[in-house]
Amino acid sequence: MRIRFLALLAAVMPLAATPAFAANLIVNGDFESVTGFGSNPAHSTLIGTYSNGTAAVNPNLPQATGWDTHGYNFIMMETSPGNTGADDGPLNGAYTNNTPDLNPNISERDPSRFSLWGPDNGSANGMTTSPTGGSFLAADAAFGNEPIFQVINGLEAGTVYKLTFWWAAAQQAGYYQDTTEAWSVCFGTCDFTRVDYDGLATYNVGPNDEIYTTATVTTPEKGFIPWQMETMYFTATSTSQTLSLLSHGTPIGQPPFALLDGLNMEAIPEPTTWAMMLIGFGLIGGVMRGRRPDQKGLQQAL
């Protein structure tokens, strides 16, 4: 009996280890790693290489490790735990309380003067940091609108991958009007048609692209839509694919901002794998039950 039990255990153990491959494939999914501040202190900032379609306007911006973007997308830094507003001192606040720079020429704007409406700049809208804490992404959904993206490696064609992330919505300080916000998520090649300034970028759907969109929320003037968890499933078609997230919103000229944090993408076991695991554990349970002493026989022997 012992030999049979050990043999069954040896057969099931590889299956039991199967879920171990479910590791997060996204680099810097919480946007905590940002480089390129130089001699300036870390502060909320425009990231990537903003481009107006012909040339890089801000070629020396800080970079979010693992991510690429040429849109009007910001990393909002949390410089003290729970900081939810705009007041933490010039150039080092989670949402700087400097006067917003509304210069229509993007190349002349001061990224350090960007802020969102929040409790510390005149709007008791209930804004909070993301559920994962720390920094998060704020993407303009109607100006310089381009996705933030990265190439995901180590994929297995035919395998289903689960993507989860937190998102919320807000409005840029200095503007006054209800707005709408949502995220579109592409997994594949994810080519897109860009916009230079006001307007919405769009994906050019390729044959192997999967694109899903969140619900659209309506943010009241100077308001905030609380963080919510989103879950999506994608099937890989190759070993490396682009994961791309594109915000979109309305109206043009009243900057709607979609917020993002805590991205996680991992493979999920196939149903047959789970079934084999359950069968295997059931066999072990059966063997264990079979090894119980015959109580009736023991009583008769006594």
Side-chain angles (χ1 to χ4, degrees):
M1 181 66 71
R2 181 180 181 184
I3 294 175
R4 181 186 175 192
F5 171 76
L6 292 176
L8 286 171
L9 184 62
V12 172
M13 284 303 291
L15 297 177
T18 299
F21 69 80
N24 188 8
L25 298 175
I26 296 176
V27 175
N28 194 26
D30 54 6
F31 302 106
E32 299 304 314
S33 177
V34 182
T35 61
F37 285 102
S39 60
N40 295 323
H43 58 81
S44 302
T45 181
L46 188 65
I47 60 167
T49 305
Y50 185 84
S51 171
N52 64 4
T54 58
V57 175
N58 298 98
N60 299 313
L61 292 171
Q63 307 292 314
T65 303
W67 296 97
D68 194 6
T69 183
H70 310 292
Y72 204 55
N73 300 320
F74 289 77
I75 293 292
M76 311 303 289
M77 309 291 282
E78 181 185 38
T79 55
S80 61
N83 186 356
T84 59
D87 188 8
D88 199 48
L91 297 182
N92 67 347
Y95 321 99
T96 63
N97 66 341
N98 296 329
T99 303
D101 188 346
L102 306 182
N103 191 324
N105 187 344
I106 183 65
S107 64
E108 297 177 3
R109 286 191 182 183
D110 179 1
S112 70
R113 290 170 59 185
F114 171 83
S115 59
L116 299 171
W117 284 118
D120 291 342
N121 62 1
S123 178
N125 59 13
M127 175 178 281
T128 63
T129 53
S130 78
T132 64
S135 305
F136 60 85
L137 180 84
D140 196 317
F143 176 88
N145 183 229
E146 288 200 19
I148 182 167
F149 56 93
Q150 71 171 259
V151 175
I152 307 296
N153 297 307
L155 302 170
E156 183 176 345
T159 296
V160 176
Y161 292 85
K162 177 183 178 181
L163 173 69
T164 58
F165 58 90
W166 290 94
W167 75 284
Q171 184 181 36
Q172 183 174 343
Y175 293 87
Y176 306 86
Q177 190 170 336
D178 293 358
T179 61
T180 68
E181 295 84 10
W183 283 100
S184 288
V185 183
C186 176
F187 192 53
T189 302
C190 304
D191 184 30
F192 62 94
T193 298
R194 56 164 293 120
V195 295
D196 290 344
Y197 295 107
D198 287 329
L200 302 180
T202 56
Y203 283 120
N204 302 320
V205 183
N208 294 320
D209 287 347
E210 285 185 88
I211 300 177
Y212 298 102
T213 301
T214 67
T216 298
V217 298
T218 299
T219 304
E221 176 183 298
K222 300 170 62 174
F224 171 71
I225 299 298
W227 293 92
Q228 56 188 300
M229 170 69 79
E230 194 77 27
T231 301
M232 299 176 177
Y233 294 90
F234 299 89
T235 301
T237 58
S238 65
T239 57
S240 294
Q241 294 182 210
T242 296
L243 175 67
S244 175
L245 297 102
L246 175 63
S247 64
H248 50 86
T250 60
I252 302 297
Q254 297 294 329
F257 268 81
L259 315 182
L260 183 69
D261 203 8
L263 290 101
N264 187 91
M265 189 173 211
E266 59 186 41
I268 59 174
E270 296 180 0
T272 53
T273 301
W274 284 113
M276 292 176 66
M277 289 175 59
L278 292 174
I279 292 172
F281 286 122
L283 289 173
I284 290 178
V287 170
M288 296 299 292
R289 288 193 298 271
R291 296 184 62 193
R292 293 176 182 172
D294 185 344
Q295 298 296 329
K296 183 177 180 180
L298 287 175
Q299 292 174 358
Q300 291 177 349
L302 293 174

